[in-house]
Amino acid sequence: MCAVKVVGELNRNGMKAYEAGDVSGAEFLLHQALLRARGTKSAVLEAKILNNIGLIEILTGRKESAASHLRAALEKVRARVGGENKLHSVVRNNLERALS
């Protein structure tokens, strides 16, 4: 299986684990996805995973850590695809939630 598909599967499984109530499993899978995404050199893929990590941190009350991950995601999006786009908007909205 190609690296991008593996990352996508880890990401999806991480979010499913969270939905099933397994926060530690979700975080483990998402961090594994992030490590592999970094190997693909895809800033957009990294941003998506950083966003999901940040989202879980918001939902579990760790807003400071969430804000850090979401800022990193925004930097990746801006560097790769520039300003306003769907991913940028989603990450920015999640960052606003983390900062509120």
XYZ file of all heavy atoms in Angstrom:
754
model
N 0.849 -1.173 0.000
C 0.000 0.000 0.000
C 0.898 1.240 0.000
O 1.893 1.282 0.708
C -0.900 -0.036 1.245
C -1.867 1.102 1.313
S -2.970 1.095 2.759
C -3.868 -0.412 2.559
N 0.537 2.245 -0.783
C 1.365 3.451 -0.870
C 1.270 4.253 0.429
O 0.302 4.149 1.181
C 0.991 4.285 -2.088
S -0.391 5.385 -1.870
N 2.289 5.058 0.671
C 2.403 5.801 1.929
C 1.213 6.725 2.178
O 0.728 6.831 3.309
C 3.703 6.594 1.935
N 0.730 7.380 1.141
C -0.399 8.309 1.314
C -1.648 7.550 1.741
O -2.398 8.017 2.605
C -0.635 9.124 0.026
C -1.900 9.955 0.122
C 0.571 10.011 -0.274
N -1.873 6.368 1.183
C -3.036 5.571 1.578
C -2.916 5.100 3.022
O -3.901 5.073 3.754
C -3.219 4.381 0.635
C -3.766 4.775 -0.711
C -4.054 3.571 -1.566
C -4.604 4.013 -2.911
N -4.993 2.884 -3.751
N -1.704 4.726 3.415
C -1.482 4.306 4.796
C -1.787 5.455 5.745
O -2.468 5.278 6.764
C -0.033 3.797 4.997
C 0.278 3.590 6.469
C 0.199 2.511 4.215
N -1.311 6.639 5.408
C -1.565 7.817 6.238
C -3.067 8.085 6.320
O -3.604 8.341 7.401
C -0.815 9.054 5.696
C -1.252 10.317 6.406
C 0.690 8.851 5.814
N -3.746 8.026 5.191
C -5.192 8.252 5.172
C -5.935 7.246 6.030
O -6.866 7.605 6.757
N -5.506 5.996 5.970
C -6.159 4.958 6.760
C -5.908 5.173 8.255
O -6.829 5.042 9.064
C -5.663 3.581 6.324
C -6.477 2.458 6.905
C -6.193 1.127 6.236
O -6.103 1.091 4.999
O -6.057 0.141 6.969
N -4.689 5.502 8.621
C -4.384 5.789 10.026
C -5.218 6.984 10.511
O -5.755 6.960 11.627
C -2.897 6.087 10.200
C -1.953 4.893 10.140
C -0.506 5.358 9.986
C -2.112 4.017 11.375
N -5.308 8.005 9.696
C -6.089 9.188 10.039
C -7.562 8.826 10.259
O -8.160 9.185 11.279
C -5.923 10.230 8.932
C -6.559 11.560 9.266
O -6.556 11.993 10.408
N -7.113 12.207 8.259
N -8.138 8.114 9.311
C -9.553 7.710 9.430
C -9.772 6.831 10.657
O -10.740 7.018 11.409
C -10.020 6.982 8.178
C -10.329 7.896 7.014
C -10.947 7.154 5.843
N -10.057 6.149 5.280
C -9.044 6.396 4.442
N -8.792 7.644 4.076
N -8.289 5.432 3.978
N -8.879 5.875 10.864
C -9.022 4.986 12.014
C -8.855 5.734 13.334
O -9.506 5.395 14.325
C -8.045 3.814 11.916
C -8.444 2.828 10.849
O -9.604 2.758 10.435
N -7.491 2.056 10.363
N -8.001 6.746 13.330
C -7.851 7.566 14.526
C -9.134 8.296 14.867
O -9.554 8.335 16.032
N -9.770 8.869 13.869
C -11.021 9.582 14.113
C -12.139 8.613 14.508
O -12.962 8.923 15.372
C -11.402 10.416 12.890
C -10.406 11.537 12.591
S -9.985 12.587 14.005
C -11.505 13.523 14.177
N -12.153 7.419 13.918
C -13.145 6.405 14.312
C -12.926 5.976 15.756
O -13.883 5.760 16.502
C -13.064 5.197 13.384
C -13.647 5.435 12.014
C -13.516 4.197 11.149
C -13.963 4.467 9.733
N -13.754 3.294 8.857
N -11.661 5.846 16.150
C -11.357 5.473 17.535
C -11.878 6.538 18.495
O -12.469 6.220 19.540
C -9.852 5.266 17.716
N -11.683 7.802 18.132
C -12.199 8.871 18.984
C -13.720 8.781 19.088
O -14.287 8.873 20.177
C -11.794 10.262 18.477
C -12.423 11.327 19.333
C -11.889 11.624 20.578
C -13.605 11.957 18.941
C -12.506 12.545 21.411
C -14.224 12.874 19.771
C -13.674 13.167 20.995
O -14.302 14.062 21.824
N -14.378 8.602 17.962
C -15.845 8.506 17.949
C -16.333 7.338 18.794
O -17.421 7.394 19.366
C -16.351 8.374 16.519
C -16.184 9.652 15.708
C -16.456 9.451 14.218
O -16.905 8.360 13.818
O -16.205 10.402 13.469
N -15.516 6.284 18.895
C -15.869 5.113 19.697
C -15.507 5.302 21.169
O -15.718 4.405 21.982
C -15.174 3.874 19.137
N -14.920 6.457 21.513
C -14.585 6.740 22.897
C -13.173 6.380 23.314
O -12.812 6.489 24.480
N -12.352 5.971 22.365
C -10.971 5.572 22.658
C -10.019 6.730 22.342
O -9.386 6.769 21.287
C -10.614 4.334 21.837
C -9.215 3.810 22.098
O -8.529 4.322 23.012
O -8.799 2.887 21.376
N -9.917 7.681 23.267
C -9.118 8.883 23.041
C -7.643 8.538 22.891
O -6.972 9.021 21.971
C -9.332 9.916 24.166
C -8.403 11.107 24.005
C -10.785 10.367 24.193
N -7.121 7.695 23.773
C -5.689 7.378 23.693
C -5.370 6.619 22.410
O -4.338 6.871 21.777
C -5.207 6.613 24.924
O -5.865 5.378 25.039
N -6.233 5.725 21.999
C -6.041 5.015 20.735
C -6.097 5.963 19.549
O -5.310 5.860 18.611
N -7.021 6.897 19.612
C -7.163 7.888 18.539
C -5.904 8.721 18.416
O -5.379 8.924 17.315
C -8.366 8.786 18.812
N -5.408 9.186 19.546
C -4.205 10.022 19.521
C -2.996 9.230 19.034
O -2.176 9.755 18.284
C -3.966 10.636 20.892
C -5.011 11.696 21.192
C -4.858 12.326 22.557
O -4.326 11.670 23.474
O -5.274 13.486 22.689
N -2.891 7.988 19.447
C -1.786 7.158 18.980
C -1.822 7.028 17.462
O -0.817 7.238 16.777
C -1.831 5.767 19.633
C -0.805 4.836 19.084
C 0.515 4.904 19.513
C -1.144 3.895 18.119
C 1.481 4.059 18.990
C -0.185 3.042 17.594
C 1.133 3.121 18.031
N -2.990 6.690 16.924
C -3.126 6.510 15.477
C -2.852 7.809 14.717
O -2.190 7.802 13.682
C -4.514 5.972 15.140
C -4.770 4.533 15.569
C -6.258 4.195 15.462
C -3.935 3.555 14.748
N -3.348 8.916 15.238
C -3.125 10.196 14.567
C -1.656 10.610 14.606
O -1.137 11.148 13.630
C -4.015 11.281 15.163
C -5.501 11.131 14.830
C -6.331 12.122 15.625
C -5.745 11.285 13.344
N -0.983 10.331 15.699
C 0.447 10.664 15.759
C 1.257 9.754 14.834
O 2.238 10.203 14.231
C 0.955 10.635 17.194
C 0.561 11.857 17.964
N 1.204 13.066 17.827
C -0.446 12.071 18.835
C 0.616 13.959 18.600
N -0.396 13.386 19.211
N 0.824 8.513 14.694
C 1.474 7.629 13.724
C 1.244 8.151 12.307
O 2.153 8.156 11.476
C 0.934 6.194 13.847
C 1.339 5.491 15.117
C 2.838 5.338 15.222
O 3.498 4.863 14.305
N 3.404 5.761 16.340
N 0.033 8.604 12.043
C -0.278 9.181 10.730
C 0.575 10.416 10.469
O 1.088 10.603 9.363
C -1.770 9.541 10.651
N 0.743 11.253 11.491
C 1.543 12.464 11.340
C 3.000 12.132 11.019
O 3.606 12.735 10.132
C 1.447 13.321 12.600
C 2.187 14.647 12.572
C 1.688 15.531 11.434
C 2.041 15.354 13.913
N 3.556 11.169 11.722
C 4.938 10.765 11.445
C 5.098 10.288 10.007
O 6.050 10.649 9.318
C 5.370 9.658 12.416
C 5.594 10.075 13.857
C 5.845 8.849 14.728
C 6.759 11.046 13.961
N 4.156 9.492 9.558
C 4.225 8.982 8.181
C 3.954 10.079 7.159
O 4.549 10.100 6.086
C 3.279 7.815 7.996
C 3.753 6.595 8.754
C 2.833 5.429 8.554
N 3.288 4.308 9.338
C 3.536 3.114 8.843
N 3.396 2.883 7.559
N 3.924 2.141 9.631
N 3.055 11.000 7.493
C 2.758 12.111 6.578
C 3.996 12.972 6.371
O 4.256 13.435 5.257
C 1.607 12.956 7.122
N 4.744 13.171 7.430
C 5.979 13.954 7.298
C 6.935 13.297 6.319
O 7.660 13.976 5.602
C 6.623 14.154 8.660
C 5.843 15.144 9.491
C 6.452 15.395 10.845
N 5.697 16.454 11.514
C 5.514 16.515 12.813
N 6.059 15.612 13.611
N 4.818 17.508 13.323
N 6.909 11.986 6.268
C 7.748 11.253 5.320
C 7.317 11.430 3.874
O 8.118 11.264 2.962
N 6.058 11.785 3.662
C 5.562 11.975 2.295
C 5.878 13.368 1.779
O 5.703 13.635 0.596
C 4.033 11.780 2.199
O 3.380 12.851 2.882
C 3.602 10.429 2.733
N 6.290 14.268 2.657
C 6.584 15.670 2.306
C 5.339 16.408 1.798
O 5.442 17.359 1.047
C 7.705 15.766 1.273
C 8.950 15.004 1.628
C 9.851 15.822 2.500
C 11.213 15.176 2.602
N 11.591 14.769 3.895
N 4.152 15.953 2.217
C 2.904 16.610 1.818
C 2.429 17.524 2.942
O 1.913 17.063 3.964
C 1.820 15.576 1.504
O 0.569 16.220 1.339
N 2.606 18.819 2.754
C 2.192 19.798 3.761
C 0.682 19.755 3.992
O 0.219 19.917 5.125
C 2.623 21.191 3.345
N -0.077 19.519 2.944
C -1.538 19.471 3.070
C -1.958 18.265 3.899
O -2.822 18.376 4.783
C -2.211 19.473 1.682
C -3.701 19.225 1.797
C -1.940 20.792 0.964
N -1.352 17.138 3.657
C -1.660 15.935 4.426
C -1.295 16.141 5.899
O -2.078 15.807 6.791
C -0.904 14.735 3.834
C -1.314 13.351 4.278
C -2.798 13.121 4.096
C -0.519 12.313 3.500
N -0.138 16.713 6.148
C 0.257 17.022 7.528
C -0.753 17.962 8.178
O -1.131 17.767 9.334
C 1.636 17.673 7.565
C 2.779 16.717 7.394
C 4.111 17.428 7.583
O 4.361 17.941 8.700
O 4.883 17.475 6.617
N -1.170 18.976 7.448
C -2.122 19.947 7.989
C -3.434 19.283 8.376
O -4.014 19.593 9.426
C -2.363 21.071 6.989
N -3.914 18.376 7.561
C -5.170 17.683 7.856
C -5.055 16.880 9.146
O -5.967 16.872 9.978
C -5.565 16.764 6.705
C -6.051 17.512 5.487
C -6.397 16.552 4.361
C -6.884 17.306 3.135
N -7.257 16.381 2.045
N -3.926 16.217 9.323
C -3.743 15.402 10.522
C -3.544 16.286 11.749
O -4.114 16.030 12.811
C -2.585 14.416 10.322
C -2.954 13.436 9.205
C -2.279 13.665 11.615
C -1.807 12.683 8.635
N -2.753 17.346 11.612
C -2.588 18.290 12.718
C -3.934 18.884 13.121
O -4.208 19.087 14.313
C -1.615 19.399 12.324
C -0.144 18.998 12.274
C 0.668 20.047 11.525
C 0.406 18.777 13.668
N -4.780 19.163 12.148
C -6.116 19.666 12.437
C -6.908 18.649 13.253
O -7.551 19.003 14.241
C -6.856 20.001 11.140
C -8.264 20.477 11.415
O -8.464 21.557 11.945
N -9.243 19.653 11.075
N -6.852 17.386 12.862
C -7.602 16.363 13.593
C -7.064 16.174 15.013
O -7.844 15.987 15.950
C -7.600 15.043 12.826
C -8.543 15.081 11.646
O -9.379 15.967 11.531
N -8.408 14.127 10.751
N -5.749 16.237 15.168
C -5.170 16.154 16.514
C -5.673 17.333 17.340
O -6.113 17.165 18.489
C -3.629 16.137 16.446
C -3.138 14.813 15.839
C -3.022 16.347 17.842
C -1.655 14.785 15.502
N -5.631 18.526 16.758
C -6.114 19.710 17.459
C -7.586 19.613 17.809
O -8.005 19.999 18.907
N -8.372 19.081 16.916
C -9.802 18.933 17.159
C -10.058 18.020 18.356
O -10.859 18.345 19.243
C -10.493 18.392 15.907
C -12.001 18.243 15.964
C -12.665 19.571 16.279
C -12.511 17.687 14.647
N -9.370 16.900 18.402
C -9.535 15.991 19.538
C -9.088 16.671 20.829
O -9.729 16.525 21.877
C -8.780 14.668 19.294
C -9.540 13.855 18.238
C -8.639 13.866 20.592
C -8.849 12.586 17.798
N -8.023 17.453 20.762
C -7.567 18.159 21.961
C -8.579 19.196 22.416
O -8.792 19.367 23.623
C -6.195 18.784 21.711
C -5.111 17.733 21.601
C -3.771 18.262 21.164
O -3.717 19.305 20.455
O -2.767 17.633 21.522
N -9.239 19.867 21.486
C -10.309 20.805 21.864
C -11.418 20.042 22.588
O -11.877 20.447 23.655
C -10.906 21.515 20.628
C -9.914 22.507 20.034
C -12.217 22.229 20.992
C -10.330 23.056 18.674
N -11.826 18.938 21.992
C -12.949 18.171 22.530
C -12.642 17.523 23.870
O -13.561 17.171 24.618
C -13.380 17.115 21.512
C -13.935 17.678 20.200
C -14.112 16.570 19.169
C -15.239 18.424 20.431
N -11.354 17.371 24.184
C -10.966 16.781 25.467
C -10.420 17.833 26.441
O -9.804 17.493 27.445
C -9.945 15.647 25.267
O -8.807 16.140 24.553
C -10.562 14.477 24.515
N -10.638 19.115 26.108
C -10.315 20.187 27.032
C -8.866 20.642 27.069
O -8.467 21.361 27.978
N -8.073 20.263 26.091
C -6.662 20.654 26.052
C -6.463 21.741 24.996
O -5.800 21.533 23.987
C -5.786 19.433 25.794
C -5.868 18.445 26.960
C -5.185 17.144 26.667
N -6.014 16.408 25.711
C -5.537 15.546 24.830
N -4.252 15.301 24.753
N -6.337 14.913 24.015
N -7.058 22.887 25.259
C -7.111 23.947 24.253
C -5.750 24.547 23.931
O -5.501 24.932 22.790
C -8.099 25.026 24.681
C -9.540 24.552 24.623
C -10.494 25.683 24.883
C -11.922 25.244 24.619
N -12.841 26.387 24.698
N -4.851 24.636 24.902
C -3.536 25.215 24.634
C -2.748 24.336 23.652
O -2.153 24.833 22.691
C -2.763 25.383 25.935
C -1.527 26.226 25.799
C -0.914 26.543 27.149
O -1.631 27.059 28.021
O 0.282 26.268 27.306
N -2.758 23.046 23.896
C -2.079 22.120 22.989
C -2.762 22.109 21.624
O -2.109 22.061 20.584
C -2.069 20.710 23.592
O -1.389 19.818 22.758
N -4.094 22.180 21.643
C -4.854 22.226 20.391
C -4.449 23.431 19.565
O -4.214 23.332 18.356
C -6.350 22.267 20.681
N -4.354 24.588 20.220
C -3.985 25.811 19.506
C -2.614 25.676 18.861
O -2.405 26.113 17.724
C -4.019 27.009 20.450
N -1.694 25.032 19.551
C -0.352 24.822 19.003
C -0.394 23.960 17.741
O 0.219 24.298 16.719
C 0.536 24.169 20.062
O 1.809 23.885 19.537
N -1.130 22.861 17.802
C -1.248 21.984 16.633
C -1.974 22.686 15.487
O -1.599 22.534 14.325
C -1.959 20.677 17.002
C -1.092 19.730 17.739
N -1.253 19.469 19.075
C -0.032 18.984 17.331
C -0.338 18.598 19.464
N 0.422 18.286 18.423
N -2.987 23.451 15.810
C -3.767 24.127 14.773
C -2.980 25.265 14.127
O -3.091 25.492 12.923
C -5.099 24.605 15.347
C -6.027 23.449 15.746
C -7.136 23.938 16.661
C -6.575 22.750 14.518
N -2.178 25.965 14.914
C -1.306 26.988 14.321
C -0.325 26.354 13.341
O -0.072 26.894 12.256
C -0.555 27.744 15.413
C -1.389 28.771 16.131
C -0.544 29.593 17.100
N -1.384 30.426 17.919
C -1.671 30.194 19.205
N -1.151 29.146 19.826
N -2.460 31.016 19.866
N 0.229 25.218 13.731
C 1.160 24.511 12.836
C 0.442 24.085 11.558
O 1.008 24.187 10.459
C 1.767 23.295 13.549
N -0.797 23.637 11.697
C -1.577 23.243 10.520
C -1.812 24.439 9.601
O -1.657 24.336 8.380
C -2.911 22.633 10.950
N -2.160 25.582 10.186
C -2.382 26.792 9.380
C -1.111 27.204 8.637
O -1.177 27.594 7.472
C -2.849 27.950 10.258
C -4.338 28.120 10.453
C -4.630 29.328 11.320
C -5.081 28.211 9.141
N 0.014 27.120 9.297
C 1.283 27.458 8.650
C 1.533 26.550 7.450
O 1.967 27.017 6.387
C 2.442 27.338 9.641
C 2.475 28.435 10.668
C 3.580 28.232 11.691
O 4.564 27.511 11.404
O 3.463 28.801 12.789
N 1.253 25.272 7.612
C 1.449 24.319 6.510
C 0.533 24.660 5.339
O 0.961 24.647 4.185
C 1.174 22.890 6.978
C 2.067 22.428 8.090
C 3.116 21.536 7.566
C 4.016 21.088 8.713
N 5.391 21.055 8.313
N -0.729 24.962 5.635
C -1.692 25.288 4.573
C -1.267 26.563 3.850
O -1.232 26.611 2.623
C -3.127 25.437 5.134
C -4.076 25.947 4.072
C -3.614 24.114 5.703
N -0.931 27.587 4.618
C -0.535 28.860 4.009
C 0.712 28.708 3.149
O 0.803 29.285 2.066
C -0.297 29.909 5.088
C -1.559 30.422 5.712
C -1.261 31.459 6.779
N -2.481 31.878 7.438
C -2.562 32.154 8.720
N -1.494 32.077 9.497
N -3.696 32.531 9.236
N 1.660 27.933 3.635
C 2.907 27.758 2.894
C 2.686 26.985 1.595
O 3.336 27.253 0.587
C 3.936 27.028 3.759
N 1.750 26.063 1.611
C 1.560 25.199 0.441
C 0.531 25.726 -0.544
O 0.752 25.731 -1.736
C 1.166 23.787 0.902
C 0.950 22.811 -0.212
C 2.252 22.573 -0.982
N 2.020 21.604 -2.032
C 2.021 21.906 -3.323
N 2.253 23.126 -3.738
N 1.798 20.974 -4.216
N -0.612 26.152 -0.029
C -1.697 26.545 -0.937
C -2.126 27.992 -0.773
O -3.054 28.438 -1.431
C -2.925 25.604 -0.810
C -2.595 24.225 -1.305
C -3.462 25.562 0.596
N -1.492 28.712 0.110
C -1.798 30.131 0.255
C -2.968 30.395 1.174
O -3.260 29.618 2.069
N -3.635 31.508 0.928
C -4.693 32.019 1.797
C -5.953 31.191 1.832
O -5.915 29.988 1.946
N -7.059 31.867 1.733
C -8.371 31.269 1.936
C -8.674 30.120 0.985
O -8.628 30.262 -0.218
C -9.416 32.354 1.726
C -10.407 32.701 2.814
C -10.314 32.051 4.155
O -9.496 32.470 4.970
O -11.096 31.122 4.421
N -8.970 28.984 1.570
C -9.480 27.808 0.879
C -10.221 26.989 1.922
O -10.250 27.368 3.094
C -8.341 27.017 0.192
C -7.302 26.554 1.183
O -7.594 25.776 2.079
N -6.078 27.048 1.045
N -10.820 25.899 1.524
C -11.654 25.132 2.456
C -10.859 24.634 3.658
O -11.289 24.790 4.804
C -12.322 23.965 1.742
C -13.274 23.216 2.648
C -14.009 22.115 1.936
C -14.919 21.417 2.932
N -15.679 20.358 2.323
N -9.693 24.050 3.423
C -8.898 23.532 4.532
C -8.466 24.666 5.463
O -8.551 24.546 6.683
C -7.679 22.754 4.015
C -6.762 22.157 5.080
C -7.519 21.224 6.013
C -5.598 21.427 4.410
N -8.024 25.770 4.887
C -7.619 26.924 5.687
C -8.779 27.383 6.563
O -8.601 27.665 7.763
C -7.161 28.058 4.765
C -6.649 29.250 5.490
N -7.476 30.254 5.942
C -5.391 29.596 5.852
C -6.749 31.171 6.545
N -5.481 30.798 6.502
N -9.966 27.455 6.001
C -11.148 27.895 6.737
C -11.484 26.948 7.889
O -11.773 27.391 9.005
C -12.331 27.995 5.773
O -13.492 28.381 6.445
N -11.422 25.650 7.642
C -11.719 24.655 8.677
C -10.717 24.769 9.819
O -11.095 24.811 10.996
C -11.716 23.226 8.084
C -11.699 22.162 9.168
C -12.910 23.030 7.161
N -9.435 24.825 9.482
C -8.396 24.900 10.515
C -8.517 26.215 11.292
O -8.430 26.233 12.521
C -6.988 24.743 9.905
C -5.919 24.933 10.964
C -6.832 23.375 9.237
N -8.734 27.322 10.582
C -8.874 28.619 11.241
C -10.054 28.609 12.216
O -9.948 29.096 13.347
C -9.049 29.734 10.213
C -8.991 31.134 10.849
C -9.393 32.244 9.898
N -10.816 32.113 9.594
C -11.320 31.901 8.385
N -10.551 31.821 7.326
N -12.616 31.784 8.199
N -11.171 28.042 11.810
C -12.341 27.964 12.690
C -12.044 27.114 13.925
O -12.457 27.456 15.038
C -13.553 27.414 11.944
C -14.110 28.401 10.945
O -13.868 29.605 11.032
N -14.845 27.897 9.970
N -11.321 26.006 13.730
C -10.959 25.179 14.878
C -10.000 25.923 15.804
O -10.106 25.807 17.029
C -10.365 23.846 14.426
C -11.428 22.909 13.891
O -12.600 23.019 14.244
N -11.036 21.996 13.033
N -9.078 26.697 15.242
C -8.165 27.489 16.063
C -8.947 28.515 16.869
O -8.684 28.715 18.065
C -7.103 28.170 15.193
C -6.104 29.056 15.930
C -5.364 28.295 17.019
C -5.132 29.674 14.943
N -9.932 29.142 16.272
C -10.764 30.111 16.993
C -11.485 29.427 18.154
O -11.594 30.006 19.241
C -11.758 30.777 16.050
C -11.089 31.757 15.095
C -12.022 32.301 14.025
O -13.246 32.018 14.057
O -11.513 33.008 13.127
N -11.938 28.199 17.947
C -12.571 27.425 19.041
C -11.584 27.156 20.158
O -11.928 27.237 21.343
C -13.100 26.093 18.518
C -14.370 26.187 17.722
C -14.810 24.849 17.194
N -15.103 23.890 18.245
C -15.318 22.589 18.018
N -15.235 22.106 16.781
N -15.581 21.782 19.001
N -10.352 26.829 19.783
C -9.340 26.526 20.796
C -8.986 27.769 21.615
O -8.666 27.658 22.800
C -8.081 25.968 20.134
N -9.040 28.922 20.974
C -8.656 30.159 21.655
C -9.798 30.782 22.454
O -9.569 31.725 23.220
C -8.118 31.162 20.622
C -6.837 30.747 19.922
C -6.488 31.740 18.816
C -5.697 30.576 20.909
N -11.010 30.262 22.279
C -12.164 30.864 22.986
C -12.329 30.295 24.391
O -11.793 29.324 24.771
C -13.436 30.643 22.196
O -13.769 29.282 22.123
